[in-house]
Amino acid sequence: MKFDTPAGQNPIDQLKVVGKPTDRIDGKYKTTGTAPYAYERHDVVANQAYGYVLGAGIAKGRVRRIDTAEAKRAPGVVAIVTTLDTPKLGLGKMNAANLFGGDQIQHYHQAIAVVVAETFEQARAAAYLVAVEYAPEAGQFDLAAQAGSAKPVGGGSGEGSGSGPEDRHGDFEGAFAQAPVKLDETYTTPDESHAMMEPHATIAAWEGDKLTLWTSNQMIAWGKGSVAKILSLKPENVRLDSPYVGGGFGGKLFVRADAVLAALGAKAAGRPVKVALTRPLIANNTTHRPATIQRVRIGATPDGRITAIAHESLSGNVPEGRPETAVDQTKLLYAGANRLTGMKLARLDLPEGNAMRAPGEAPGLMALEIAMDEMAERLNLDPVEFRVRNDTQVDPGKPERPFSHRNLIGCMKLGAERFGWAKRNPKPGQVRDGQWLVGLGMAAGFRNNMLTKSGARVRLGRDGLVTVETDMTDIGTGSYTIIAQTAAEMMGVPLDRVVVRLGDSDFPASAGSGGQWGANNSTAGVYAACVKLREDIAQRLGINSADAVFADGQVRAGNRAVPLAEAAASGDLTGEDFIEYGDLSKKQQQSTFAGHFVEVGVDADTAEIRVRRMLAVCASGRILNPKSARSQVIGGMTMGVGGALMEELAVDTKRGFFVNHDLAGYEVPVHADIPHQEVVFLDEVDPTTSPMKAKGVGELGICGVGAAIANAVYNATGVRVRDYPITLEKHFEKLPRVA
Ligand code: MOS
């Protein structure tokens, strides 16, 4: 089905099942431990051995020699594959650093061997007996120190945001010089780790040339193509299966060392092999969100109209790596005739930087939305009012291009009302509650909506059960449930008459999970397949499909009503199709919007920061399942608390690795850090996005929330911290004196 004109009325608009707050249909499996994750697929293939990955102990240089003699004699060892036995492998989709093969080391903990043994403990013990001789070289590990050598580059995040090396509209420098009120500040964000609960893990089994990987991956079709490319196999000989994913956050968009080394280990061992990356390898062997140094300049008239806005970002990466696209939202969020955005990329020899939850917008808004708060203060304007005055209904760089639907003002106004924003004291450092300095902060949230082709197959069985098959993944997001809701709505059956099967590359290729594109696109693909199936059913029953109404387990036309199952009486009926898109999203800018509001307390004695209340008001098109959408948004807000206050991969700038490579040293919020969180969805539909009239919402929760926290901290203390995470030593000595 080609979607190239705005959606009219369709069966989804009935909202009998879609749009209802619905418990996850996979919830019972998750909560009873019966949803098997990749490493736990004990029953899919017999005789599984264990692989343990050894990472390089240097950050840059060459592996001179690997001596495996002693390791091979260790108890239980079945096989060892080293990087020196293997030619340098090709890169898969979105991979920048080598995963394996050859003698060159590009980053610390790059995989250099996999040891396969009868048990995990035997594999690990033997791995430490592998003797490696390196020829190390000096590397560059310090982003700030490399600022001078960084080059202007364009690039995309792989998730929709992208920029040229420098994009200009009007005359930024001239307008900024003349602006009566202006700001020129620099903000920094650190390297961050996905720190998902489920590590990267794969079980690999060969049958001749055919390879099956039971793995944990967000993008099955990408993964299948990448594995084929990396291992020089025919794509039809590769199968990936990933029905449950315990978090990915962008770290599992692509194939990583677990999949490649499980496959190579299984080949060498002549039997199936399972590999999980250890926690330290997740920080240094896989990818991370790269650190940024961002300069924001804003010029405005005394009444608060932006006349000039510039956002420039510096990040670093391995040679094939892309820049962090932190400036992208600044092209679209606020009005202003004179604009400049630019990105620079420094060559670093740290592990590969790549997509992490809302790549680009999440760190970009952490800078831009503090800058907006600082400007509002200089203008003596309320931060909400300053943003309202600079709202735009068109792409400011291409005014002929409107937003398809934009209600940022509605988000901010409703948020202000519900949060009690009017009670905020605009003068910082004034409000006390016992030991606590109390502050309120807000920020705008913004993330683009992406359209991408997505397929599905829907089958009606003789028993009347509707089975949906697509390679779409559920990475904790609720895909199973919204896909079931879509099929139930389309076929006119209750939710418990729908079976959803996901994550298998033998199923039709879907949009996959990333860039908050999963929900709208994958359900639109299911919609398209259901339309096909409905036509087939109507035809079998001798009903004109335009007149057929699918409801209550029946197909009705005129005064005829036939049980749905009857259409499949002589055999299962299957509808398969995909949604693909015309140029609606080129003619109109599709984006999602939020108003984030936060209250913090800062301990007047110790400078400790506690988040006390959070509210997000979101405008994201139709919400398919308010319950799972809320879970997504509060998950993003929680990750935003981490980004604002805790998360930072500490770089050893001498040896070139992330030091705090476990969950003891890399701090993420726990339940005790998270206060009352409220999420409100504005009631809206966007007919330009798909027949579902929905948009992405999963990543909107993290976009802007970090700055709202930073702004609340400033309002509490009067001390502005522009260097994330805002840890207490960054403002402790400047806090108001305690009497
Ligand atoms: Mo992306 S960071 O997988 O949504």
Side-chain angles (χ1 to χ4, degrees), residues 11-23 25 480-498 550-553 622-628 692:
I12 298 297
D13 296 320
Q14 301 173 98
L15 300 180
K16 287 185 188 163
V17 195
V18 170
K20 294 272 189 292
T22 304
D23 288 349
I25 60 175
Y480 277 105
T481 312
I482 56 172
I483 284 172
Q485 288 174 274
T486 303
E489 193 81 73
M490 289 298 289
M491 303 314 299
V493 298
L495 205 57
D496 62 7
R497 302 301 289 161
V498 180
F550 290 71
D552 308 321
R622 171 174 282 154
I623 299 302
L624 303 174
N625 178 349
K627 194 166 188 177
S628 55
M692 305 303 294

Side-chain angles (χ1 to χ4, degrees), residues 70-89:
E70 201 185 341
K72 276 189 176 144
R73 287 194 298 269
V77 171
V78 177
I80 300 177
V81 181
T82 80
T83 195
L84 297 183
D85 310 331
T86 312
K88 183 174 160 182
L89 299 176

Side-chain angles (χ1 to χ4, degrees), residues 93-94 154-163 222 249-250 253-254 289-290 317 321-328 343 352-363 447-448 450 514-517 699:
K93 182 144 176 132
M94 277 182 89
S157 65
E159 294 199 353
S161 66
S163 270
W222 289 8
F249 309 124
L253 281 168
F254 20 68
R289 189 201 298 282
N317 216 332
R322 57 168 189 85
E324 181 66 25
T325 53
V327 303
D328 204 49
M343 297 191 293
E352 172 182 334
N354 214 318
M356 180 170 141
R357 206 162 196 194
E361 285 93 334
R447 175 100 164 116
N448 284 332
M450 277 187 72
Q516 75 169 16
W517 65 61
E699 291 177 331

Side-chain angles (χ1 to χ4, degrees), residues 139 180 190 216 228 250 285 293 308 328 354 360 408 426 430 432 478 493 506 509 590 602 633 670 672-673:
S216 182
N285 175 272
I293 300 174
D328 204 49
N354 214 318
L408 173 59
Q430 303 301 307
R432 280 291 285 261
V493 298
D506 286 348
Q590 297 179 358
V602 178
V633 175
V670 297
D673 296 310

